[in-house]
Amino acid sequence: MKGVEIHGMTRSAFILRGAIAASAAYGARAAGPYVARALAQAQSGDLAIVNFALTLEYVEAAFYKAALTGAKLRSDLKSLATDFGQDEQAHQQALTQLVQQLGGKPAKAPTTSFPVKDDASFLRLATTLEETGVSAYNGAAPALKSPDILIAAGSIVQVEARHAAALHNAANQNPAPRAFDKPLGRALVQSQVNRYITG
Amino acid sequence: MEETRVQEPTTPGALGELARDPSSRKRFLKMAGGSAVAAGLSAALAACGNDKSKSTPEGSALGPLAQYGAGDAGVLNYALTLEHLETAFYEAAIKTGTLTGRNLTRFKQFGAEEAEHVIALTAAVKKLGGTPVQPQQTTFPLATEHMILSTASTLESLGAGAYLGQFERIQSREVLAMALSIHSVEARHAATLNQALGHSPTPNGAFASPVTAEDLQGQIQTFLAG
């Protein structure tokens, strides 16, 4: 793990310190597995999830940009696209930093292409992408180990859900068709997003 | 979603230590707050009860949450209290006859969804060995359509924020998945009601803010009649 300084302590040292505290409580022999598990959790699990979410945010941000530059939108949709595009960019920046803080390498922005040209195609794609976002975060968040990353994911997914509802309302559709939102596994999310990724 | 079961004993490992150690959490926040971009995010983190374990021993640190019971059953009972309140609100609002058209349609639908949350949470609390909280006597400002919509928006925003504020306390993955799937529905309701009032569907911008149990308690007090 690359050194991320936290008050003069790297994040891994900081996690190790916790593991050592745990080993004091559970017996010195437990230290080995705890250390390995703590590092594995912080690195592969959460990091992979955050990086995956980052890709999704890149795609969403790129979509709103494409819609604003390439499509003819009525004024209320233009203002939703502007606001929501800014939100997705803020998510993208926050997740990039989070990946770096976890000692990882942020996923690169993919090259994208969206068939967006008018109000109807905008609403169709925007609702699809935001719904994918909601189900992706809801599907991935239970696996997060770090409480702080969980709160970050929760805080973002709530905004994705608000976007989805607002877009459905703008399209004269039901903003909350189910009492329980369905989570989606990573493979399905990836295949939905891949339709818009060209490179 | 009623399939809740307790698995994974509370992480005794390093990350459990991290989660319980307020000084480590502060350090992480400091790190996360290092730039303007992360400001919204760290505000969300900071609002999320980082001081919950201050210097008080476990248990009393729960504060107003203690009355709902321990562990995941306690968290779900806390959520159930809010869902009862929302369900009672929609019933009362529809009964006034003030709402028409799209607003009436939405209220009927949202009310039915809150009632489904009540059923699911009640079952989950029982499954976890807890005693589900009962609905309380309520009173809501319902004199005009605007008051009704404002109250609805307030309740749904509190609901979404309250779930967000509890995620980190939940131990079971199944319970967390359930809370997440309700949380985003509350967010959809809140956004829709904001729009009905001519307000932004995302009043806190890119990062939604959690609501602590203390804040919630204070804000719902006016709706409790008993």
Side-chain angles (χ1 to χ4, degrees):
Chain A
M1 183 180 251
K2 282 267 147 33
V4 182
E5 290 275 320
I6 310 167
H7 274 229
M9 235 201 305
T10 62
R11 171 121 182 122
S12 46
F14 165 61
I15 290 165
L16 282 168
R17 199 189 58 129
I20 290 159
S23 78
Y26 295 93
R29 292 182 53 166
Y34 278 127
V35 169
R37 198 177 75 183
L39 289 176
Q41 282 174 346
Q43 284 184 307
S44 64
D46 286 8
L47 183 56
I49 291 170
V50 176
N51 240 341
F52 182 59
L54 174 57
T55 302
L56 205 62
E57 298 289 350
Y58 275 132
V59 172
E60 289 181 330
F63 164 72
Y64 286 113
K65 210 171 168 189
L68 285 167
T69 53
K72 265 192 114 52
L73 298 179
R74 61 176 208 241
S75 71
D76 66 317
L77 297 186
K78 204 177 271 181
S79 101
L80 288 181
T82 306
D83 290 351
F84 296 178
Q86 281 168 1
D87 292 343
E88 309 303 359
Q89 262 180 40
H91 295 166
Q92 178 198 306
Q93 287 167 344
L95 293 175
T96 300
Q97 289 191 344
L98 213 45
V99 170
Q100 286 165 344
Q101 282 153 13
L102 290 170
K105 209 171 139 210
K108 282 215 167 64
T111 316
T112 50
S113 169
F114 305 95
V116 56
K117 49 185 196 309
D118 51 17
D119 293 342
S121 54
F122 168 77
L123 283 169
R124 201 166 46 240
L125 276 169
T127 50
T128 303
L129 283 170
E130 295 285 1
E131 289 295 351
T132 303
V134 174
S135 50
Y137 278 97
N138 278 350
L144 288 168
K145 301 293 179 194
S146 153
D148 292 309
I149 297 174
L150 175 60
I151 297 163
S155 162
I156 292 175
V157 72
Q158 187 181 125
V159 171
E160 304 282 323
R162 286 169 178 272
H163 288 176
L167 290 159
H168 282 305
N169 285 323
N172 249 322
Q173 293 163 352
N174 189 342
R178 286 171 298 271
F180 303 91
D181 275 330
K182 282 194 187 133
L184 212 56
R186 185 168 161 170
L188 281 170
V189 173
Q190 188 77 61
S191 75
Q192 298 215 1
V193 170
N194 280 349
R195 284 186 241 159
Y196 313 109
I197 295 180
T198 52
Chain B
M1 269 303 142
E2 279 106 315
E3 273 312 304
T4 34
R5 71 194 142 85
V6 193
Q7 41 112 255
E8 288 189 6
T10 41
T11 337
L15 290 170
E17 285 294 318
L18 261 186
R20 280 188 290 275
D21 178 358
S23 64
S24 328
R25 289 172 62 82
K26 282 209 186 83
R27 248 176 251 125
F28 184 88
L29 285 172
K30 191 120 196 170
M31 173 177 77
S35 84
V37 171
L41 191 54
S42 50
L45 292 173
C48 210
N50 294 292
D51 295 335
K52 67 170 188 248
S53 46
K54 265 175 194 155
S55 55
T56 36
E58 288 265 355
S60 64
L62 278 173
L65 269 181
Q67 60 178 296
Y68 300 104
D72 287 355
V75 174
L76 293 181
N77 244 340
Y78 168 72
L80 179 55
T81 306
L82 198 71
E83 299 287 354
H84 275 311
L85 192 64
E86 289 178 335
T87 305
F89 165 75
Y90 282 111
E91 263 175 40
I94 292 163
K95 230 182 254 173
T96 61
T98 309
L99 297 167
T100 53
R102 188 189 261 209
N103 285 337
L104 181 61
T105 310
R106 294 284 181 253
F107 268 57
K108 284 182 178 166
Q109 183 199 326
F110 293 179
E113 288 172 344
E114 306 304 354
E116 280 193 60
H117 296 165
V118 165
I119 293 168
L121 290 169
T122 302
V125 169
K126 280 188 194 155
K127 213 159 201 173
L128 292 171
T131 308
V133 290
Q134 295 301 311
Q136 291 173 271
Q137 289 289 323
T138 52
T139 174
F140 301 102
L142 305 167
T144 64
E145 183 176 47
H146 185 82
M147 285 167 92
I148 293 173
L149 290 173
S150 295
T151 307
S153 158
T154 301
L155 279 172
E156 295 283 3
S157 301
L158 283 173
Y163 277 94
L164 178 54
Q166 295 306 312
F167 290 153
E168 62 167 336
R169 288 185 207 272
I170 297 174
Q171 301 298 333
S172 148
R173 269 198 193 197
E174 280 75 13
V175 172
L176 180 55
M178 179 190 192
L180 282 157
S181 82
I182 296 177
H183 164 250
S184 49
V185 172
E186 302 284 316
R188 291 167 187 270
H189 292 174
T192 301
L193 293 159
N194 279 7
Q195 285 185 306
L197 284 162
H199 299 161
S200 165
T202 52
N204 294 312
F207 303 97
S209 308
V211 172
T212 64
E214 286 83 354
D215 285 347
L216 184 83
Q217 202 86 348
Q219 300 228 42
I220 64 174
Q221 215 53 51
T222 55
F223 304 128
L224 298 173

